[in-house]
Amino acid sequence: MLIVLAGTIGAGKSSLAKALGEHLGTDVFYESVENNPVLDLYYENPKQYAFLLQIYFLNKRFESIKAAYKDDNNVLDRSIFEDELFLTLNYKQGNVTKTELDIYKELLNNMMEELDGMPKKRPDLLIYIDVTFDKMLERIEKRGRSFEQIDGNPDLHSYYQLVHAEYPQWYDNYDFSPKMRILGDELDFVNSEKDLQTVLAMIDEQLAVLDLQKK
């Protein structure tokens, strides 16, 4: 199976991906953040580095999903399916031009066509972690990445609001694979082992339903 996680910044994707990988005995492909040479530059100057950052992420996610498609069981903590959302947001903010957006979309479409030739055509399940804006900010602050903190960069608060507001519609429109929603405020799987086990049981149940549908 191939499971992809989705959700806004600070939703808890990496935490759930790690737990899910251990639970299912699968490999986990994490988002390229710690060794990303462009991310800090983007937070300092989004107008200059937004396009470069999204090209970097697109390339890394394409690598990850190609590798994941080749194996039987894998989990991705963010996937290529969300990438256009972030560049579109940067376009709305004036950080990228229409030409850059069009070039990016053409490149993304070409990559998606390449995926059609892989042994697995699409993910088995997308899991969307839905958190409130306050919970999002709480987790961003708690994990402590300096370039993500709004205290030193007030413009980030507005950006985070835009990102958070875009996700519900993105999830509603997503139709590339089966999907499910996890309410991350009600089930705090990051800090509560009980809630984590509840979430894992929900995912097991959904995978069992999907497996029955295939038979």
Side-chain angles (χ1 to χ4, degrees), residues 75-117:
V75 177
L76 287 88
D77 83 330
R78 193 192 290 280
S79 72
I80 198 170
F81 307 107
E82 291 171 81
D83 269 15
E84 187 177 333
L85 180 154
F86 284 93
L87 195 69
T88 301
L89 278 175
N90 275 286
Y91 172 68
K92 290 179 178 179
Q93 289 187 297
N95 295 332
V96 299
T97 65
K98 181 64 163 56
T99 300
E100 288 173 322
L101 181 63
D102 290 343
I103 291 172
Y104 178 90
K105 287 183 176 181
E106 183 177 355
L107 178 59
L108 176 60
N109 288 336
N110 287 337
M111 288 180 167
M112 297 301 287
E113 289 178 5
E114 288 295 317
L115 292 180
D116 284 342

Side-chain angles (χ1 to χ4, degrees), residues 44-206:
E44 292 173 5
N45 191 338
K47 288 187 181 296
Q48 183 173 349
Y49 291 104
F51 184 70
L52 179 60
L53 176 66
Q54 290 309 130
I55 291 295
Y56 176 89
F57 273 134
L58 183 61
N59 182 50
K60 292 299 182 181
R61 287 172 187 150
F62 188 58
E63 288 180 356
S64 294
I65 202 164
K66 283 197 302 179
Y69 273 5
K70 292 177 181 177
D71 293 330
D72 290 336
N73 298 300
N74 284 302
V75 177
L76 287 88
D77 83 330
R78 193 192 290 280
S79 72
I80 198 170
F81 307 107
E82 291 171 81
D83 269 15
E84 187 177 333
L85 180 154
F86 284 93
L87 195 69
T88 301
L89 278 175
N90 275 286
Y91 172 68
K92 290 179 178 179
Q93 289 187 297
N95 295 332
V96 299
T97 65
K98 181 64 163 56
T99 300
E100 288 173 322
L101 181 63
D102 290 343
I103 291 172
Y104 178 90
K105 287 183 176 181
E106 183 177 355
L107 178 59
L108 176 60
N109 288 336
N110 287 337
M111 288 180 167
M112 297 301 287
E113 289 178 5
E114 288 295 317
L115 292 180
D116 284 342
M118 299 294 292
K120 183 182 286 289
K121 302 300 183 184
R122 61 191 67 245
D124 294 283
L125 179 64
L126 176 133
I127 302 169
Y128 169 52
I129 305 169
D130 189 0
V131 295
T132 61
F133 185 64
D134 287 343
K135 178 62 70 174
M136 170 185 169
L137 293 183
E138 175 189 317
R139 288 183 176 165
I140 289 172
E141 182 178 5
K142 187 174 182 179
R143 73 185 179 189
R145 293 174 185 158
S146 58
F147 56 83
E148 291 182 339
Q149 304 308 310
I150 59 176
D151 290 343
N153 189 349
D155 290 341
L156 277 179
H157 191 274
S158 298
Y159 173 68
Y160 288 156
Q161 284 181 317
L162 286 173
V163 172
H164 186 269
E166 287 287 327
Y167 261 92
Q169 183 176 354
W170 174 86
Y171 175 74
D172 288 344
N173 292 337
Y174 176 86
D175 60 0
F176 200 73
S177 72
K179 60 187 179 181
M180 66 180 294
R181 184 195 304 260
I182 301 294
L183 299 178
D185 284 56
E186 295 180 11
L187 294 167
D188 187 4
F189 56 83
V190 175
N191 298 302
S192 167
E193 180 63 25
K194 179 181 177 182
D195 285 352
L196 175 60
Q197 293 306 315
T198 298
V199 168
L200 293 176
M202 291 168 60
I203 295 170
D204 284 342
E205 181 178 354
Q206 184 65 32

